[in-house]
Amino acid sequence: MKNQPNRRRDTRISFPPTVIHIKIHSGTIEMATSRVLAIVTIFSMIPGGIPSDVKGSRGLETQHLAQKSSYPQRRLKRSWIWTQLFVPEEDPSLGVIGQIKSDSDRGDLSIKYILTGEGAGDVFEIDEFSGEIRKLKKLDREEKAFYVLQAQAINRKTNEPEEPQSEFIIKVQDINDNVPQFQNETYVSSIPEMSPPGTTVAQVTATDADDPMFGNNAKLIYSILQGEPYFSVEPKTGIVVTSWPDLDRETRDEYLVVIQVKDMLGLSGGYSSSTTLTVILTDVNDNGPTFQRHLYTFTVSENAAVGSTVGRIMADDGDIGINARMTYTLEDDLEESATFIIQTDPVTQEGQLLLAKPLDYESKRRYIMAAEAVNDHVDTRFLPLEEFRDKTTIKIVVRDVDEPPAFVSPVYEWKVPENAAVGTVVGSVGAADTDTHNSPIRYSIDKRSDATKWFRIDPNNGTIAIVKALDREAASWHNFTVEAKEETPNHLSSAVAVFIKVLDINDNVPRLARDYQPYICEGTQAGELIQLLSAVDLDNPEEGHHFYFSMVPEKHINPNFTIRDNQDNTASIVARRSTFTLKDRAHYFLPVVVADSGTPTLSSTSTLTISVCRCQPAGHCPTAGVESLPLSLDPSMQTVLGILVCLVTITVLSVLMLLLRRHKRKQQEGLDVKELELPDTVSQKVLHYEEAGGRRVNFCQPVVPPQPHPRRRDRRLRREEVRASIRMSLGESHFIGPDDEVFRQFILDRLAEADQDPYVPPFDCLQRFAYEGSGSPAGSLSSLDSLTGETEVVQPFSNPRAHVVKLSPWYGGGEEDTTF
């Protein structure tokens, strides 16, 4: 069922096999029935004409008698119907808004009406007996526009539905109770200046919460309250456009437009609201640069540094941003354009005038030039091309300053031979005052340099002369500074560098490169090289050194040696014979003459001592060779090698002494008092020596019993360790004989140790040493350490420590019991 206001309502409800046709024309109801009696009560709200609160009801009752038929009579289905209801929003009155009633309701209260769906119970309720629908509270269409409900008619006795459940709609009728609202509180838009009329600026949009389909409640109209005559708005769309031609940003760059919106098509009784639109005019290049002055005058000192700023010029441009950018140039056809340049300051858009060349007041005192400013970006839509440039004139006046004197040359360099006489003039410096008054100049040598020892300068004319003899070998260059000072109250001065090179002359004799100590082996053959010689000279000739080696001229040729000049600044000493021996002669003296190629030629004579040596098979001399090696090295290298040899020697001696002390300590700790106790028979053999003839000599008689060593502990050396110790001793003592001073000192030191050691057993008075030789008149007692009963010759033993020997063979011990 559908009900539209002020239109024909055509409602058809089918309940097979019963058909009910209801037509409503402005409140008049026409009903056609067929084989059934239908009673329908309709409560409807017709917009614009029918009241919303219906207090009464219309009931149509039609009775239809069943006709006689050949078919058996049956129960017909009853039906009930209603249309949708309309309720005005914001209506404070409460009460019945409509009624539903079934055609089976006879008024005996046997039918119970039930209402379910949206708002049932809290917004709407139904009278279960009469079917009247009541509104319980005020409704708001903007909150909810319609309610969908279901109605039922139930028989109270059988609790069965009299009619099928039916659905209907209660619509909330709109009233103008909402104010139109703009989507934005404020709007901001921008357009280019000089835009033509009708240019769209922005579009404002407002909304109304009322029903746009019902009346004029939501029909909006836009208008301008502020901003005319520059802008206008289209009433229905809210589009704001320009209405004034040639809006100029340079005159006014921002406009505030107030726009109003009304509902009800602007009729009285409607609501309205307003918003603001800020219109910003963006810049276009509709202005060219313009100089406010036709002549700019600047003053600059003649001593201004190149690159310094002379002045600034500025061309006004009403535009901003990229439209105001401009480039300044100087006229290229003027002579002054090379002395000055102009640059554009990117921040201030000023023309910065810079000095490109040094100024001289005495040469030129005034400069006049033309400057031009041109826009970087032009727009011929607004101005012709020639309007985007402008010219002005620049005048620069040079200010005179008192300048220091200027030297004729930026640097002076001379050459002088080292044998030049004192008083010789080397050269002359010159400076002049460039100012107009041309003040006199005085010259002087910088006192902070030591050049005053060798040179002096004439203070009036700048002539430099020698005051002390020069020596190229001491100083080949003399560099100093000459100062020129004006004789004015300001005493302005300037300085110049002077370089004097001392030329070499041949004033130093050549000498051998080092102190040679040659030697010759006894087996040297005639013609063999003995020594290679070279020479040095403190002079430095331009063509380089060339030395000549020779022997001292004598009446007779030297029969022993000759000198062969190798023509490469070296010479060779060669043997002339093969019979050199130490028995004949140990040393030979050979004078050597060395001459240079200078002018005049200088020479020197050096006498070499050639030693005769018994060389080793490889030709090495133990004495002369060792001495000649460091002499052939650089003196600094000789010193380093000497220090290294000393350090190595000290380190080796320290290690040997430490090992010797440790070995003695371990030997003393390893002695066992019990093992050292000898039987009486052995003691007699050891302590008594019976000479031939029967006379007994007491070799050693202990007086005080031995004191036990405090750190002595039991220790037994293996047989292999004893043999290794013997072999080591033999190897070390091979090169030292009994006549050697080291050996004698060693024996004395060992005897002193034995005499001063309080822990030595009383019977250990027989000391063995490694350096006992075969030259002893008493022979050797080393046979006591023999592992066999046979007499053997004891080899020298190198271990400097005394050893205690257990004489096991004398009392029946085995070889394994022998210890040292």
Side-chain angles (χ1 to χ4, degrees):
M1 296 176 293
K2 185 175 181 181
N3 187 15
Q4 294 183 357
N6 298 329
R7 291 187 181 183
R8 176 179 177 181
R9 284 180 237 142
D10 190 355
T11 305
R12 294 182 176 88
I13 302 177
S14 300
F15 294 98
T18 303
V19 178
I20 303 175
H21 185 202
I22 302 176
K23 290 184 179 181
I24 303 177
H25 298 279
S26 300
T28 304
I29 302 176
E30 297 178 357
M31 184 181 342
T33 61
S34 173
R35 294 184 302 162
V36 68
L37 177 64
I39 302 175
V40 179
T41 304
I42 300 174
F43 300 92
S44 63
M45 303 298 300
I46 301 175
I50 300 179
S52 62
D53 190 4
V54 180
K55 303 298 183 178
S57 64
R58 296 181 180 179
L60 299 177
E61 298 180 357
T62 305
Q63 297 180 354
H64 180 73
L65 298 177
Q67 300 177 357
K68 294 182 180 181
S69 173
S70 60
Y71 296 98
Q73 189 176 4
R74 59 179 180 176
R75 180 182 176 87
L76 299 177
K77 179 175 178 61
R78 304 173 186 271
S79 58
W80 56 310
I81 186 170
W82 60 88
T83 184
Q84 62 181 354
L85 304 181
F86 290 88
V87 180
E89 67 170 331
E90 304 298 338
D91 186 4
S93 61
L94 307 178
V96 178
I97 61 173
Q99 184 181 16
I100 62 175
K101 193 171 184 180
S102 175
D103 56 357
S104 61
D105 189 356
R106 304 301 181 200
D108 54 359
L109 304 179
S110 62
I111 302 300
K112 179 181 180 181
Y113 297 97
I114 299 176
L115 183 66
T116 59
E118 296 177 344
D122 57 344
V123 179
F124 306 100
E125 68 177 2
I126 190 171
D127 190 329
E128 65 178 2
F129 298 103
S130 62
E132 293 180 342
I133 299 175
R134 295 184 178 87
K135 184 181 67 171
L136 301 179
K137 62 180 181 179
K138 184 172 58 174
L139 302 180
D140 186 3
R141 190 202 67 84
E142 286 71 37
E143 181 179 349
K144 191 171 180 60
F146 61 89
Y147 296 85
V148 180
L149 299 119
Q150 295 82 32
Q152 286 183 305
I154 300 176
N155 191 305
R156 293 182 183 273
K157 295 179 180 180
T158 63
N159 205 25
E160 293 292 334
E162 290 290 337
E163 304 287 349
Q165 180 176 333
S166 181
E167 184 177 89
F168 67 99
I169 297 175
I170 299 178
K171 296 187 68 176
V172 182
Q173 186 177 358
D174 181 56
I175 65 172
N176 190 19
D177 60 342
N178 289 279
V179 179
Q181 299 292 332
F182 284 97
Q183 291 183 356
N184 298 331
E185 294 183 359
T186 59
Y187 292 83
V188 178
S189 180
S190 61
I191 60 171
E193 62 172 331
M194 310 300 291
S195 296
T199 302
T200 300
V201 178
Q203 182 177 13
V204 296
T205 304
T207 58
D208 196 320
D210 293 327
D211 189 359
M213 304 300 296
F214 183 79
N216 297 325
N217 295 338
K219 301 297 178 60
L220 306 179
I221 294 295
Y222 298 93
S223 61
I224 285 186
L225 298 181
Q226 177 183 329
E228 294 179 336
Y230 305 105
F231 302 97
S232 61
V233 64
E234 295 184 2
K236 293 184 179 181
T237 61
I239 297 177
V240 181
V241 297
T242 59
S243 58
W244 189 270
D246 301 335
L247 294 174
D248 190 6
R249 186 201 66 83
E250 288 73 31
T251 303
R252 183 177 179 182
D253 60 352
E254 185 174 299
Y255 295 85
L256 183 64
V257 181
V258 179
I259 303 172
Q260 184 185 57
V261 63
K262 286 186 177 182
D263 58 10
M264 298 294 291
L265 293 176
L267 300 176
S268 61
Y271 294 99
S272 66
S273 61
S274 62
T275 187
T276 59
L277 169 63
T278 301
V279 182
I280 300 174
L281 298 182
T282 59
D283 184 60
V284 297
N285 196 3
D286 58 342
N287 293 277
T290 303
F291 286 104
Q292 300 300 320
R293 297 163 57 183
H294 296 290
L295 176 65
Y296 290 86
T297 303
F298 302 104
T299 303
V300 59
S301 300
E302 64 171 326
N303 61 349
V306 173
S308 58
T309 301
V310 178
R312 290 174 177 264
I313 61 176
M314 179 69 180
D316 294 334
D317 192 324
D319 299 321
I320 59 175
I322 191 174
N323 297 319
R325 292 181 183 175
M326 63 188 74
T327 300
Y328 295 89
T329 57
L330 298 176
E331 291 293 342
D332 295 335
D333 57 344
L334 297 181
E335 180 185 353
E336 292 78 5
S337 60
T339 307
F340 302 91
I341 59 174
I342 191 167
Q343 295 178 350
T344 303
D345 190 324
V347 178
T348 63
Q349 291 300 308
E350 292 178 314
Q352 185 178 8
L353 195 63
L354 303 176
L355 181 62
K357 292 183 178 180
L359 299 175
D360 186 10
Y361 174 82
E362 289 71 26
S363 300
K364 192 174 183 62
R365 305 181 182 182
R366 185 175 61 178
Y367 296 84
I368 298 177
M369 63 196 73
E372 184 180 35
V374 181
N375 270 139
D376 294 344
H377 302 276
V378 298
D379 193 343
T380 55
R381 296 177 303 170
F382 307 103
L383 293 175
L385 185 61
E386 60 271 9
E387 294 293 333
F388 292 101
R389 63 179 64 236
D390 195 16
K391 290 185 178 182
T392 188
T393 303
I394 299 176
K395 180 180 179 181
I396 300 176
V397 178
V398 181
R399 186 174 62 251
D400 184 29
V401 296
D402 190 6
E403 297 174 299
F407 281 93
V408 177
S409 176
V411 65
Y412 292 88
E413 182 175 348
W414 300 305
K415 297 179 180 179
V416 59
E418 63 177 323
N419 61 347
V422 174
T424 302
V425 175
V426 179
S428 179
V429 299
D433 184 8
T434 58
D435 297 324
T436 54
H437 47 271
N438 194 13
S439 302
I441 306 297
R442 293 190 66 83
Y443 302 94
S444 62
I445 295 178
D446 189 358
K447 297 180 180 179
R448 292 174 294 182
S449 66
D450 57 353
T452 55
K453 298 179 181 178
W454 290 276
F455 306 97
R456 65 175 177 82
I457 188 170
D458 190 317
N460 298 318
N461 56 22
T463 301
I464 299 176
I466 301 175
V467 297
K468 183 180 179 181
L470 303 178
D471 185 6
R472 190 204 65 84
E473 288 69 36
S476 59
W477 282 90
H478 293 275
N479 307 328
F480 53 92
T481 301
V482 174
E483 183 182 36
K485 183 181 295 184
E486 294 180 357
E487 292 184 349
T488 59
N490 295 331
H491 295 292
L492 296 179
S493 63
S494 58
V496 69
V498 176
F499 302 95
I500 299 177
K501 181 180 182 181
V502 181
L503 301 179
D504 183 49
I505 63 171
N506 195 21
D507 58 346
N508 291 277
V509 297
R511 300 182 183 277
L512 292 178
R514 58 185 177 87
D515 186 12
Y516 293 98
Q517 294 183 359
Y519 66 92
I520 184 171
C521 298
E522 287 184 322
T524 300
Q525 299 297 320
E528 290 189 14
L529 174 66
I530 298 175
Q531 182 70 56
L532 185 66
L533 305 177
S534 61
V536 293
D537 194 337
L538 295 179
D539 295 325
N540 186 22
E542 294 182 359
E543 63 277 2
H545 286 291
H546 187 78
F547 301 110
Y548 303 94
F549 299 86
S550 62
M551 300 178 65
V552 176
E554 296 180 353
K555 297 181 179 180
H556 304 285
I557 299 176
N558 191 322
N560 302 314
F561 308 99
T562 184
I563 296 178
R564 181 186 302 159
D565 195 333
N566 298 326
Q567 299 299 319
D568 58 355
N569 290 339
T570 63
S572 302
I573 300 178
V574 180
R576 296 179 64 89
R577 60 185 180 87
S578 306
T579 58
F580 296 96
T581 60
L582 281 173
K583 295 180 180 179
D584 296 338
R585 191 172 177 180
H587 301 284
Y588 294 89
F589 299 98
L590 178 64
V592 179
V593 179
V594 182
D596 59 18
S597 59
T599 303
T601 301
L602 300 180
S603 63
S604 65
T605 302
S606 301
T607 301
L608 300 180
T609 301
I610 302 177
S611 303
V612 181
C613 176
R614 289 191 182 95
C615 297
Q616 295 180 355
H620 174 67
C621 182
T623 57
V626 173
E627 295 173 357
S628 62
L629 178 61
L631 290 176
S632 64
L633 300 176
D634 185 78
S636 60
M637 185 60 68
Q638 296 179 15
T639 304
V640 174
L641 290 177
I643 294 175
L644 290 177
V645 170
C646 294
L647 291 177
V648 171
T649 304
I650 294 173
T651 304
V652 172
L653 292 177
S654 302
V655 172
L656 290 176
M657 292 178 65
L658 180 62
L659 293 176
L660 185 64
R661 183 173 299 175
R662 285 185 179 180
H663 183 71
K664 180 179 178 181
R665 186 181 298 112
K666 289 181 181 180
Q667 184 181 20
Q668 291 177 355
E669 290 178 356
L671 293 178
D672 189 356
V673 178
K674 295 181 180 181
E675 292 181 356
L676 296 176
E677 292 178 357
L678 302 176
D680 294 340
T681 58
V682 176
S683 177
Q684 294 297 326
K685 292 179 182 180
V686 175
L687 303 179
H688 302 282
Y689 179 77
E690 187 172 353
E691 295 180 352
R695 186 172 60 89
R696 176 177 295 180
V697 180
N698 290 332
F699 188 76
C700 180
Q701 294 182 1
V703 180
V704 182
Q707 301 180 10
H709 197 284
R711 293 183 297 175
R712 181 170 297 147
R713 56 184 179 178
D714 296 337
R715 184 175 181 181
R716 185 178 300 275
L717 299 177
R718 297 191 301 272
R719 174 181 175 185
E720 291 78 10
E721 295 175 344
V722 173
R723 291 178 176 177
S725 177
I726 294 174
R727 287 194 298 269
M728 185 186 302
S729 300
L730 292 174
E732 293 178 357
S733 62
H734 177 70
F735 298 103
I736 301 178
D739 296 333
D740 194 284
E741 179 63 27
V742 177
F743 172 76
R744 289 196 296 270
Q745 184 64 34
F746 174 77
I747 293 296
L748 295 176
D749 292 343
R750 300 290 81 75
L751 291 176
E753 272 187 17
D755 293 342
Q756 298 176 5
D757 191 355
Y759 303 105
V760 175
F763 53 81
D764 191 15
C765 57
L766 179 62
Q767 301 290 331
R768 279 185 72 256
F769 303 111
Y771 298 122
E772 54 184 347
S774 60
S776 175
S780 175
L781 299 179
S782 60
S783 60
L784 296 177
D785 63 354
S786 176
L787 298 180
T788 64
E790 299 176 1
T791 302
E792 297 178 355
V793 178
V794 179
Q795 298 295 331
F797 197 77
S798 63
N799 195 337
R801 289 186 173 273
H803 294 274
V804 179
V805 181
K806 184 174 182 180
L807 306 177
S808 56
W810 292 354
Y811 58 91
E815 292 181 356
E816 293 78 3
D817 297 330
T818 302
T819 59
F820 288 89

